[in-house]
Amino acid sequence: MHDIRLIRDNPEAFDAGLARRGLSPAAATLLALDEKRRALITQAQAGQARRNEASKAIGAAKAARDEATANALMAEVADLKQQLPAIEAEEAVLGEELTGLLAAIPNLPLADVPDGADENDNALVHERGTLRSFAFEPREHDAIGPALGLDFEAGAMLAGTRFTLVRGPIAQLYRALGQFMLTTLTREHGYEQVVPPLLVRDEIMFGTGQLPKFAEDSFRTTDGRWLIPTAEVSLTNIVREQILPEGELPIRFAALTPCFRSEAGSAGRDTRGFIRQHQFDKCEMVSIVTPDQSEAEHERMTAAAEGILTALGLPFRRMKLCSGDMGFSAARTYDLEVWLPGQGRYREISSCSTCTDFQARRMNARYRPEGEKSTRFVHTLNGSGLAVGRTLVAVMENYQQEDGAIAIPDALARYFDGLNRLEPAR
């Protein structure tokens, strides 16, 4: 959510930020609406002050037995009593309209975000790990998976397209990956484990930017609640409408949850396999920090996600997203892309974003600096650590054996009681 006062102070900078997002200028429209609304506020305040003044003068006029003046004042008060509700109602309508327009505008990119229109303009930050050499032609996960328990047909039969049944050996690997991620984040990186609700109210979705603009990307229940598209929604809103002591920050949350997305805008993309599903599990990180902690926290969070990939022995690269490819609430995003030898390319496995105070304004989440009476908005950050299904795909393709088996990464050995391979069904 943007602060109209900041737009008033520097409308050119606001429009320049929108231009970097590929959007048309909006400052003039917003400020014209704001000016009209503020004029009504001023008019209502002046009218209320005059009403109070006239009401007091009525008593004085009556005490002086000046009935003409008293009657004129009473008529004026009655007229103001009629006018003020209409002025206040018009101001409320304009205020809602302004809030709606501001709520539909994405966060502005930070200065170091590269300009660009789409993923082709993203910038490589670094690459990590060594690409594996195979003595055979590596296969994609959807060719390997069925013999190990990745059942695409049963998933479609039970729930329709973009659902998969995971069973047997591959289900054990799937569970181990999720547990390894959550344990790593809580024990090694200081995140507090949370088991959040999977159903949330409208204002919770609004707080992190899913509503109102992206309603079609999520699933809504018949009682008006929403299935979370990511645990970021629940975790970030834990601090909504709070004033936190500065000494409590940073706060770090992590959760391993199912996530639900309609994938409304992905028709024709990744229709095969386990990459893009309506239901998937993800280990999510959320940080609540002061503005001066925000930069370092973004690096810290992204490094935590990278550490999981490194521990699993998966080659990856970090990309800094360009201004046209970032999510709605993000001011800067790092994508981690893992190498998939079956596909012969890198695919996104994690996004780590700093949202500055954009979400905090929508949630009214503040902190009080030590020794000060005034409050400030917190900064929020979120990142995947990691998407479990996509990590499963990466392990399957990178650890595949010629006979269709999957070698178990050393980091997961404790979850398999000495087993070092998942064997395909014969």
Side-chain angles (χ1 to χ4, degrees), residues 54 58 62 67 69-79:
I58 290 169
K62 286 189 173 184
E67 291 300 323
T69 300
N71 289 336
L73 288 169
M74 284 190 289
E76 183 182 2
V77 167
D79 189 44

Side-chain angles (χ1 to χ4, degrees), residues 30-107:
L30 294 168
L31 292 177
L33 190 60
D34 177 54
E35 186 175 352
K36 188 174 180 181
R37 182 186 65 89
R38 286 194 295 152
L40 288 170
I41 292 172
T42 301
Q43 186 180 349
Q45 290 172 340
Q48 187 61 54
R50 177 55 190 159
R51 180 182 170 184
N52 293 339
E53 181 184 4
S55 296
K56 290 178 182 178
I58 290 169
K62 286 189 173 184
R65 297 184 179 181
D66 185 351
E67 291 300 323
T69 300
N71 289 336
L73 288 169
M74 284 190 289
E76 183 182 2
V77 167
D79 189 44
L80 287 169
K81 191 175 180 180
Q82 265 193 330
Q83 292 177 17
L84 285 172
I87 295 170
E88 290 166 353
E90 186 180 358
E91 184 277 321
V93 169
L94 291 179
E96 287 182 9
E97 184 180 352
L98 180 60
T99 298
L101 291 174
L102 289 169
I105 297 172
N107 203 353

Side-chain angles (χ1 to χ4, degrees), residues 174-239:
Y174 188 91
R175 178 175 60 84
L177 284 167
Q179 291 303 311
F180 173 69
M181 293 170 189
L182 190 57
T183 299
T184 299
L185 294 178
T186 54
R187 292 186 181 176
E188 297 183 15
H189 299 285
Y191 287 87
E192 178 185 352
Q193 182 174 338
V194 179
V195 180
L198 303 182
L199 288 167
V200 297
R201 297 177 289 115
D202 286 0
E203 54 265 44
I204 304 306
M205 292 282 280
F206 177 85
T208 46
Q210 276 73 26
L211 293 181
K213 194 169 184 180
F214 302 101
E216 67 173 8
D217 295 330
S218 297
F219 291 106
R220 195 172 196 182
T221 61
T222 53
D223 66 357
R225 285 177 285 195
W226 299 84
L227 287 165
I228 60 169
T230 164
E232 170 203 342
V233 174
S234 301
L235 296 180
T236 309
N237 275 279
I238 290 173
V239 300

Side-chain angles (χ1 to χ4, degrees), residues 210-284:
Q210 276 73 26
L211 293 181
K213 194 169 184 180
F214 302 101
E216 67 173 8
D217 295 330
S218 297
F219 291 106
R220 195 172 196 182
T221 61
T222 53
D223 66 357
R225 285 177 285 195
W226 299 84
L227 287 165
I228 60 169
T230 164
E232 170 203 342
V233 174
S234 301
L235 296 180
T236 309
N237 275 279
I238 290 173
V239 300
R240 72 176 288 108
E241 297 176 2
Q242 293 187 40
I243 298 175
L244 304 166
E246 183 177 13
E248 290 186 8
L249 303 177
I251 296 172
R252 301 183 178 103
F253 298 125
L256 174 61
T257 69
C259 305
F260 305 89
R261 296 184 186 174
S262 70
E263 296 293 346
S266 62
R269 297 175 59 197
D270 298 307
T271 54
R272 291 171 47 240
F274 203 46
I275 292 288
R276 196 176 298 276
Q277 301 278 287
H278 288 310
Q279 175 187 322
F280 57 97
D281 288 277
K282 181 158 63 78
C283 197
E284 185 73 6

